Amino acid sequence: MKEQILRIFDGKRGKVFLFIIPFIFLGLGNAIVNLTLATLLMRVFDFAAVGEFSEKFTQQ
Amino acid sequence: MIVAGGIVIFLFITSPISAYFGRKNIGVLMGKLRRETFGKVLDLPYAYHKSRHSGDTISRLTNDLTEVENFLKEGFLNFANLLILGTAAILYMFVLDYRLAVVFVIFTGIIFKLNRGSARKMKIISDEVQKRQSTFTQNLTDVFQGFQVMKSYNLEARLKGKMEEVNQGVYEKAYERSRQQAKLRILSNLAFTSSFLFIVLFGILFMYLGWMTIGVVVAFTNLQGAINSVLNFLPQFNQSLQSARAALDRVFELRDEEKEPPVINPPYEGEKFPGYLAFRDVTFTYDKGKGEPVLKDFSFSVDEGKSVALVGESGGGKSTIIKLILGLYPVDRGEIVVGNRSSSKDEIAEIRRNVSYVSQNPYLFTGTVAENISYGRENATEEEIRDAAVKANAHKFIMELDQGYDTVIGERGLGLSGGQKQRISIARAIVKDSPILLLDEATSALDTESESLIKDSLREMMKGKTSITIAHRLSTIEDSDEIFVMKEGKLIERGSHDDLLVRDGYYKMLYETQFTKNDVDVKERVI
């Protein structure tokens, strides 16, 4: 497998790296969006579950 | 905080740009693979193409490379994207709570193991699918190449049946692949659903123990959703990967074949190439190590400017001599000298540059008439092309075509008669202006009128050149300086037409047989 990939890129690892750079950025962008969403959800639920908001919510 | 925010915004904005560049990279890479593989096909020796079905090579250039492209565009692009997402999600899980993250990783590991186990099986099935697709292409090529024969023998139903059988084979294997893929999908779905349940259960337990908050559990389920997309994609990715690997194996197998030395085509200039030709103790076998030699310790020489004709029964080795001069096959033993060059591999290109070949079945490429003639010499001017066509008795009919020399000829010279195609191919040989000519039954498939025109063209072309002509009709080679009579790979008689008739040998027998037959044919026609 590794051999096949290297053959496609004339045995040059640098070329493999250059090829995958856009995919890395694409993946990072997507990951950042998802992790930000997860963090927001965590904060919202924690905020809702404990503290002033929770008490007011329970009283109502 | 500002820096982190900046990175997030940067990555968010660059994501679509990265997708564009990713797809562009794939396009460039596939262009390179196609170009190199096609170049390799052209560089392969004649013997390679003769020993394999053209459909198989076409399938490697089309089906197999398309399989690789599909993998890169759909499989790799999504996988690279999801792999980073999955890795980031798992790392974030460890940051949030390592205990729950460990539970999750164990289940992910099991799913991954399941996928790996079935990957090998998927590759075997994919290999078989590719092979069957190649057989399908081979049959398809046969149909197109032999369309006329198919119609004349009413073979439509029979060939349809055959194609149906081959197609069924492709379908069955592809269906097996889909079944295997579905199994993998079910397994990974089941495994994933259970991992989700475990996260919820363990999350509730850890909350009860006071190890984590509800927010962390919710974040875990959200991250697990992201990883779910990665895991759900794995079977599809595996299938695509294994198909691409099988396809790449076949492409690289083709590219690993030993090629001929590159044929460079510099301007036709420099010293005059001597029109001398000799076979020195040449032994040659088509199926090396298996069959009997077609030529054994075969020797002859032709002096510059002489015309030699090869005659004899079919299978006697006449066409083999032409193929060996053109360097289409390497000899087992001995040496072929053409001009001042030897048939050793490094000089094949130089020999071919100085030899013109006209075959029984002229091949014209898709392109204009002028383009087809200029294949004889890359830098031929319009005037030279026209002169060559005039000498080949082709100018008149070319001018009658819709756009003259700019008329586009269809596949294999569609729309032109056999005689017209042959005259264009002679013009191609004339424009090459090489000192040695090889004519393999150049007039045998033509009607009398075309034959007479082509004979004139050939006579014009052969002036001052060394030529070797193969002919079955002995009346066409009576004027040759020397006639070589071949039988079972041996030169049994040689001399001028008159000498050979006086000798009362095999040539005389052949001549009289043809003469009598022609006589009978004429009488039959009169009756």
Side-chain angles (χ1 to χ4, degrees), chain B residues 210-273:
Chain B
W211 290 353
M212 60 172 60
T213 62
I214 177 89
V216 175
V217 179
V218 171
F220 256 86
T221 54
N222 183 266
L223 292 171
Q224 196 253 5
I227 295 166
N228 184 19
S229 55
V230 182
L231 295 173
N232 268 340
F233 182 67
L234 268 184
Q236 192 189 328
F237 174 74
N238 250 336
Q239 185 255 319
S240 180
L241 174 72
Q242 298 314 325
S243 299
R245 280 184 69 189
L248 261 184
D249 277 345
R250 283 167 47 79
V251 171
F252 283 137
E253 191 183 77
L254 176 79
R255 289 174 64 162
D256 284 338
E257 290 288 336
E258 199 187 338
K259 63 174 185 178
E260 278 188 337
V263 180
I264 335 147
N265 216 351
Y268 191 73
E269 286 168 1
E271 62 178 84
K272 191 177 172 289
F273 193 85

Side-chain angles (χ1 to χ4, degrees), chain A residues 1 3-5 7-10 15 18-39 41-43 45-46 49, chain B residues 8 10-12 15 18-19 21-22 25-26 29 32 76-77 80-81 84-85 88-89 92 96 213-216 218-219 222-223 241 245 248-249 252 256:
Chain A
M1 177 72 182
E3 223 171 76
Q4 281 184 326
I5 293 170
R7 269 197 78 172
I8 296 175
F9 293 96
D10 308 321
K15 278 189 181 177
L18 282 175
F19 179 79
I20 60 170
I21 281 181
F23 301 105
I24 294 172
F25 273 93
L26 181 68
L28 282 176
N30 198 11
I32 287 288
V33 171
N34 276 278
L35 297 196
T36 312
L37 271 175
T39 313
L41 270 174
M42 184 174 70
R43 297 277 178 245
F45 270 83
D46 280 344
Chain B
V8 170
F10 172 75
L11 288 171
F12 191 71
S15 201
S18 304
F21 278 108
N25 276 358
I26 292 170
L29 180 72
K32 175 183 170 282
F76 177 73
L77 196 137
N81 186 11
I84 293 170
L85 171 64
Y92 197 46
L96 293 175
T213 62
I214 177 89
V216 175
V218 171
N222 183 266
L223 292 171
L241 174 72
R245 280 184 69 189
L248 261 184
D249 277 345
F252 283 137
D256 284 338

